Amino acid sequence: MATLQDIGVSALINLFGAFLFLIAFAVLRIQPINDRVYFPKWYLSKERSSPRRSDGTLVGKFVNLNYKTYFTFLNWMPQAMKMSESEIIRHAGLDSAIFLRIYTLGLKIFVPAMVLALVVLVPVNVSSGTLFFLKKELVVSDIDKLSISNVQPKSSKFFFHIGVEYLFTIWACYMLYREYDNVATMRLQYLASQRRRPEQFTVVVRNVPDMPGHSVPDTVDQFFKTNHPEHYLCHQAVYNANKYAKLVKQRERLQNWFDYYVLKHQRNPHKKPTCRTGFLGLWGNKVDSIEYYQEQIKEFDHNMSLERQKVLKDSKLMLPVAFVSFDSRWGAAVCAQTQQSKNPTLWLTSNAPEPRDIYWQNLAIPFISLTIRKLVIGISVFALVFFYMIPIAFVQSLANLQGLDRVAPFLRPITRLDFVKSFLQGFLPGLALKIFLWILPTVLLIMSKIEGYIALSTLERRAAAKYYYFMLVNVFLGSIIAGTAFEQLDSFLHQSPSQIPRTIGVSIPMKATFFITYIMVDGWAGIAGEILRLKPLVIFHLKNMFLVKTERDRERAMDPGFVDFKETLPSLQLYFLLGIVYAVVTPILLPFICVFFAFAYLVYRHQIINVYNQQYESCGAFWPHVHGRIIASLLISQLLLMGLLTSKKAADSTPLLIILPILTLAFHKYCKHRFEPAFRKYPLEEAMAKDKLEKETEPELNMKADLADAYLHPIFHSFEEEFSSEEKDVESHREVEIPEVRVDKHETMSSSSVTELGTPSHHHHQVYNSSSPTSHYASAYEQSSSQYEYHYDAHQYEQHEYRYN
């Protein structure tokens, strides 16, 4: 059983680790060479360029030599707080702003609860002294003396705990109601303020029936012209083009290598670039690189053309799915919210995700197989959750030195050392549990993809739900059972269900020390590690050294990442569960929870402003899940408190808690009916108002032109169009000091890789035309890149004064 000394050692280790992470972050973030890692979002928005010192020294291009900036390592905190919520919505989207509100909600709930519990309950618990008289019979810690375990059975002091539980529940529900109301209002205002977005006018139609003699597009067109004649505009068919998409990715890699060798040859026109044709270019025949990749691209273009024709001509590859667009938001909302056919299994309609939110691979899954897939994955998740109980139980048994001595008695001389004992009981269990949980989100996301959801946002929410159930069973319940009731596990499994809350309730106070260490490892040091971005930093520099060949590669190596909802939301919900359950049982845990919410809020605010670039915008669609799981945490805490008071034989006070779960469920049902529809359906009133306003301001609006290509399947995008689009994106984000390669057709591609290979050529604005010594290779490049003519601007690096933001 961990003592206050063990908690102190764990706190010291984690605080020291967090401090080291912050120091490392302070040093690394101000180095010019790392600027793209710590401020990638500003590069994507074209509001930041690569910092260079004005003194022109070689060292200054890589290392910040201004020593004053090294003493202000915490100035990122006030800077992160400067941007208002409305500015964050414009800068990062509504999802990011609502995600940050979860942390402020935690502070609003737990800070007043912490003050109340520490002022009222801790003195009540300490004054009882039950454990002091029982310490010879029971192994207890100083933490337990501050908990409800220290109150004598049948004591009238339990009325204080029940009263605080009522006050805490009322306060939590009040804050949940206000937050739900605010978030729902923010969502509707955001939708109303947005200009025309394709998903507002589009529904996705699944399970289109097979009509003999009619293709899927003809069937869809005829059905909606008949049943939605006034508002139906157009539709886009969906093809099973997964194989074609793989060819596009392979062709893009070849094009990237081709770009690299052309740029390399432009730097040194008198030397032909060569490569080997074997594995990874390590062996094989040595060939002219430009000619070799030109032939490879030509062959790939031919194969892609054949595959494209195959998809278009093969009716079996046309899916019974379509994106149907309407000329008004009202028409799309009505279609999405109504039954289209007398057979409820056909013509299934729902609101379309935004185009970048679509997971195209899952559109090819037959609708009839979705139920089977969900059943199989449900069984697999159930098995995974309980399979993990074995390693979790073993890890948590390490928190008990007696259990460790039985497993490894030869370690007894070492484990009895004070520092080792404190480390094993105060730090190691939380760290080991964190490692066990590391790979789970990725595994659960793969399972959600197998289930067949067609939106990335839905995939992440489903993966987050699975991860939450896992953490509830394994981290919370599993840790309690395996840690304090390990020897009684057999009797626990064989007792009646009505006794389970009582057994767990008895165990909960004794596990507070473990959860405190877990909060410090995951919530303190772990969050500090999040801002350090050590993994993206290492990967960025490794890619720059070995893989970056063109500016497109540099943009990909930068990889700003995004808020990983499938992992962060379940972790947040676990912290809410711990805080709510222990608020009355062991109030001393609440300060650790509050520190987590405050520190994590600052870190994620900084990351959202400077780093993360979200994949999609769901307008806060995850909030109902967050609200529901906080309500579930309240119910769990109330049931476990009843079980605990039953074990304390508090027959006079325990019945007062029975009504509390009923009131909590009634509150949840009210909120569900009051606010959740705003997250599930688009109000017709809002849709009509927006449509009328738009028609008044833009009477000549041609919606068909705007929606024609919005949900165009990737099969209809030629590679040249994709390449052109990527080049424009690269130009828009390029560094101002990098030599540039200008391209006809209004395209520009930065050539940082050229400057990295050596000193740029002294020829300025050299044009590779038919009279150039390199006309053969320039001509080959023009043929492969849709006749793009490259102009090489070989100026030196432009120096810029580095400003520490």
Side-chain angles (χ1 to χ4, degrees):
M1 184 65 63
T3 63
L4 279 178
Q5 179 184 353
D6 301 335
I7 298 296
V9 171
S10 179
L12 183 63
I13 293 174
N14 286 285
L15 287 174
F16 183 69
F19 183 76
L20 287 182
F21 284 148
L22 293 179
I23 291 292
F25 169 68
V27 173
L28 292 174
R29 74 188 286 261
I30 62 175
Q31 308 308 318
I33 196 174
N34 298 328
D35 202 59
R36 283 179 177 267
V37 177
Y38 293 107
F39 300 96
K41 188 154 193 165
W42 297 104
Y43 280 92
L44 295 177
S45 62
K46 299 181 290 185
E47 298 183 40
R48 192 180 184 93
S49 58
S50 182
R52 304 291 179 184
R53 292 189 59 82
S54 59
D55 56 17
T57 61
L58 179 62
V59 175
K61 296 177 182 179
F62 301 95
V63 180
N64 180 14
L65 301 179
N66 183 3
Y67 71 91
K68 294 181 180 179
T69 59
Y70 290 90
F71 295 101
T72 56
F73 71 98
L74 291 179
N75 72 338
W76 63 269
M77 292 185 178
Q79 289 174 7
M81 297 300 297
K82 288 181 180 178
M83 189 175 286
S84 65
E85 184 175 71
S86 59
E87 291 173 330
I88 288 179
I89 293 175
R90 289 192 296 269
H91 176 67
L94 186 62
D95 278 344
S96 298
I98 292 178
F99 173 73
L100 291 176
R101 292 185 73 96
I102 302 176
Y103 292 96
T104 58
L105 175 64
L107 291 173
K108 291 174 184 177
I109 290 176
F110 291 118
V111 170
M114 176 185 68
V115 174
L116 177 65
L118 293 180
V119 170
V120 175
L121 294 184
V122 169
V124 170
N125 295 336
V126 171
S127 64
S128 296
T130 300
L131 295 179
F132 175 78
F133 296 105
L134 297 177
K135 65 180 181 179
K136 294 181 181 180
E137 306 170 12
L138 190 66
V139 179
V140 297
S141 69
D142 295 329
I143 298 293
D144 297 320
K145 296 176 182 178
L146 305 177
S147 73
I148 196 173
S149 300
N150 203 37
V151 181
Q152 297 178 2
K154 300 181 180 181
S155 173
S156 60
K157 293 182 179 180
F158 289 121
F159 285 103
F160 286 98
H161 298 84
I162 294 175
V164 170
E165 180 71 12
Y166 266 91
L167 291 175
F168 177 73
T169 300
I170 293 171
W171 173 250
C173 290
Y174 172 70
M175 295 310 304
L176 283 171
Y177 178 86
R178 286 190 56 186
E179 203 67 23
Y180 213 152
D181 189 16
N182 291 335
V183 171
T185 302
M186 289 170 61
R187 175 182 168 89
L188 293 176
Q189 289 177 348
Y190 182 82
L191 292 173
S193 66
Q194 292 295 295
R195 287 187 58 82
R196 291 182 302 278
R197 295 166 61 95
E199 63 271 18
Q200 297 173 350
F201 299 87
T202 307
V203 299
V204 58
V205 182
R206 307 189 74 175
N207 222 23
V208 176
D210 184 16
M211 303 293 291
H214 291 79
S215 65
V216 172
D218 292 339
T219 303
V220 172
D221 193 61
Q222 181 180 353
F223 180 85
F224 282 93
K225 280 183 177 178
T226 302
N227 296 283
H228 296 267
E230 296 180 357
H231 297 284
Y232 169 65
L233 191 63
C234 60
H235 78 277
Q236 290 160 0
V238 179
Y239 298 83
N240 184 358
N242 291 343
K243 183 178 180 181
Y244 180 85
K246 293 179 182 178
L247 291 176
V248 170
K249 291 181 180 179
Q250 294 173 9
R251 204 275 192 191
E252 185 179 351
R253 285 195 291 268
L254 292 175
Q255 183 71 44
N256 221 27
W257 277 106
F258 183 80
D259 295 346
Y260 166 69
Y261 284 116
V262 168
L263 295 173
K264 183 177 180 180
H265 186 62
Q266 288 176 342
R267 173 189 169 270
N268 188 358
H270 304 292
K271 183 179 180 181
K272 296 181 179 180
T274 60
C275 65
R276 296 186 180 275
T277 59
F279 178 71
L280 296 178
L282 299 177
W283 55 74
N285 298 327
K286 184 177 286 188
V287 296
D288 185 301
S289 302
I290 296 177
E291 292 182 350
Y292 173 73
Y293 279 103
Q294 181 191 9
E295 291 298 323
Q296 291 287 312
I297 290 172
K298 184 177 180 181
E299 181 181 351
F300 248 82
D301 287 342
H302 177 68
N303 293 336
M304 289 171 61
S305 178
L306 293 177
E307 179 63 23
R308 178 172 174 171
Q309 293 176 14
K310 176 185 176 182
V311 173
L312 291 173
K313 293 180 180 179
D314 191 350
S315 59
K316 295 180 180 179
L317 295 178
M318 185 174 290
L319 304 176
V321 181
F323 290 97
V324 179
S325 297
F326 298 81
D327 63 1
S328 66
R329 297 171 181 82
W330 188 90
V334 169
C335 180
Q337 299 174 31
T338 54
Q339 182 175 318
Q340 304 301 311
S341 171
K342 59 184 178 182
N343 185 346
T345 63
L346 300 176
W347 298 104
L348 303 177
T349 57
S350 60
N351 294 308
E354 64 170 334
R356 59 178 178 163
D357 191 18
I358 296 174
Y359 188 68
W360 290 95
Q361 292 90 324
N362 277 2
L363 286 172
I365 298 175
F367 184 81
I368 195 172
S369 70
L370 293 180
T371 303
I372 300 174
R373 285 170 172 261
K374 292 176 182 178
L375 176 61
V376 172
I377 293 300
I379 296 173
S380 301
V381 170
F382 180 85
L384 179 66
V385 166
F386 285 93
F387 170 78
Y388 253 70
M389 283 289 287
I390 298 173
I392 292 293
F394 174 75
V395 169
Q396 300 317 314
S397 68
L398 295 177
N400 189 328
L401 284 181
Q402 288 79 11
L404 182 61
D405 289 342
R406 285 195 296 271
V407 175
F410 57 90
L411 294 177
R412 186 173 300 174
I414 299 176
T415 58
R416 287 300 180 267
L417 297 176
D418 290 340
F419 178 79
V420 174
K421 176 183 176 182
S422 298
F423 177 80
L424 288 176
Q425 297 193 137
F427 180 76
L428 184 61
L431 178 62
L433 180 59
K434 179 67 177 176
I435 294 174
F436 271 116
L437 298 176
W438 184 49
I439 63 171
L440 264 179
T442 302
V443 174
L444 297 175
L445 180 63
I446 293 173
M447 288 184 168
S448 297
K449 289 179 179 179
I450 295 174
E451 284 183 292
Y453 297 103
I454 64 172
L456 293 172
S457 56
T458 308
L459 287 173
E460 291 206 343
R461 289 198 298 273
R462 297 307 303 168
K466 296 179 180 65
Y467 194 30
Y468 172 75
Y469 299 141
F470 180 90
M471 298 187 80
L472 174 64
V473 173
N474 285 283
V475 179
F476 183 69
L477 299 178
S479 297
I480 290 171
I481 298 169
T484 60
F486 194 68
E487 292 80 5
Q488 302 159 351
L489 186 57
D490 182 68
S491 61
F492 172 81
L493 294 176
H494 289 87
Q495 61 185 305
S496 65
S498 61
Q499 294 296 311
I500 292 178
R502 179 179 180 275
T503 304
I504 297 178
V506 172
S507 304
I508 281 177
M510 315 299 284
K511 285 301 296 180
T513 52
F514 165 73
F515 287 121
I516 289 174
T517 62
Y518 177 78
I519 292 169
M520 289 188 291
V521 171
D522 182 69
W524 295 7
I527 293 297
E530 172 70 25
I531 201 172
L532 181 60
R533 301 200 79 215
L534 185 59
K535 180 181 176 182
L537 178 68
V538 172
I539 291 176
F540 174 77
H541 289 302
L542 287 177
K543 286 184 175 180
N544 261 339
M545 292 172 61
F546 300 108
L547 300 179
V548 169
K549 302 177 289 298
T550 65
E551 185 62 16
R552 280 183 295 164
D553 287 339
R554 184 183 292 274
E555 295 292 340
R556 294 190 185 99
M558 187 170 63
D559 188 20
F562 46 86
V563 178
D564 192 359
F565 290 124
K566 67 180 182 296
E567 183 174 2
T568 53
L569 289 181
S571 298
L572 268 171
Q573 290 153 8
L574 175 66
Y575 284 111
F576 273 102
L577 175 63
L578 294 177
I580 291 172
V581 168
Y582 281 98
V584 175
V585 174
T586 310
I588 197 63
L589 182 137
L590 290 179
F592 297 91
I593 289 282
C594 292
V595 170
F596 160 74
F597 277 109
F599 186 42
Y601 175 70
L602 284 172
V603 168
Y604 278 106
R605 217 175 196 275
H606 174 274
Q607 299 297 81
I608 284 172
I609 293 173
N610 298 298
V611 181
Y612 295 144
N613 186 45
Q614 290 304 109
Q615 289 179 297
Y616 56 82
E617 178 60 60
S618 70
C619 301
F622 54 83
W623 186 263
H625 302 273
V626 174
H627 174 91
R629 283 163 198 152
I630 296 176
I631 292 292
S633 299
L634 287 171
L635 293 172
I636 291 172
S637 71
Q638 294 158 8
L639 294 176
L640 295 183
L641 182 60
M642 280 193 285
L644 180 58
L645 293 180
T646 301
S647 69
K648 290 284 190 176
K649 301 178 181 179
D652 295 334
S653 55
T654 303
L656 296 176
L657 281 174
I658 296 177
I659 194 175
L660 198 53
I662 299 174
L663 295 176
T664 305
L665 282 173
F667 168 77
H668 175 59
K669 185 176 181 180
Y670 172 77
C671 288
K672 188 178 182 67
H673 288 289
R674 172 64 179 85
F675 299 115
E676 191 169 326
F679 295 83
R680 299 288 178 258
K681 301 174 182 178
Y682 191 41
L684 295 181
E685 180 184 17
E686 295 282 334
M688 181 61 75
K690 188 71 173 176
D691 288 335
K692 286 183 177 180
L693 178 63
E694 196 167 72
K695 288 180 180 179
E696 292 173 359
T697 56
E698 300 179 72
E700 302 299 326
L701 178 64
N702 182 5
M703 288 300 305
K704 194 167 186 177
D706 291 343
L707 297 172
D709 297 335
Y711 288 91
L712 195 63
H713 196 281
I715 185 117
F716 294 109
H717 291 286
S718 66
F719 181 82
E720 289 79 6
E721 291 171 345
E722 293 177 357
F723 178 76
S724 174
S725 175
E726 288 178 356
E727 292 300 330
K728 290 179 181 178
D729 291 341
V730 171
E731 160 59 15
S732 67
H733 305 312
R734 68 179 179 86
E735 296 179 14
V736 296
E737 75 280 0
I738 292 180
E740 58 185 11
V741 179
R742 292 191 177 87
V743 190
D744 284 350
K745 301 189 179 180
H746 311 290
E747 294 192 17
T748 305
M749 184 173 73
S750 300
S751 173
S752 62
S753 57
V754 176
T755 61
E756 291 174 357
L757 293 172
T759 305
S761 170
H762 65 280
H763 299 290
H764 291 261
H765 306 289
Q766 182 178 359
V767 179
Y768 290 97
N769 51 34
S770 58
S771 61
S772 172
T774 58
S775 60
H776 173 69
Y777 301 108
S779 175
Y781 188 72
E782 289 169 359
Q783 294 174 9
S784 177
S785 300
S786 301
Q787 306 301 320
Y788 296 150
E789 183 183 357
Y790 279 73
H791 304 263
Y792 177 60
D793 182 12
H795 59 75
Q796 295 288 344
Y797 280 118
E798 180 181 352
Q799 305 298 330
H800 296 271
E801 177 66 28
Y802 182 81
R803 289 181 173 86
Y804 178 58
N805 293 327

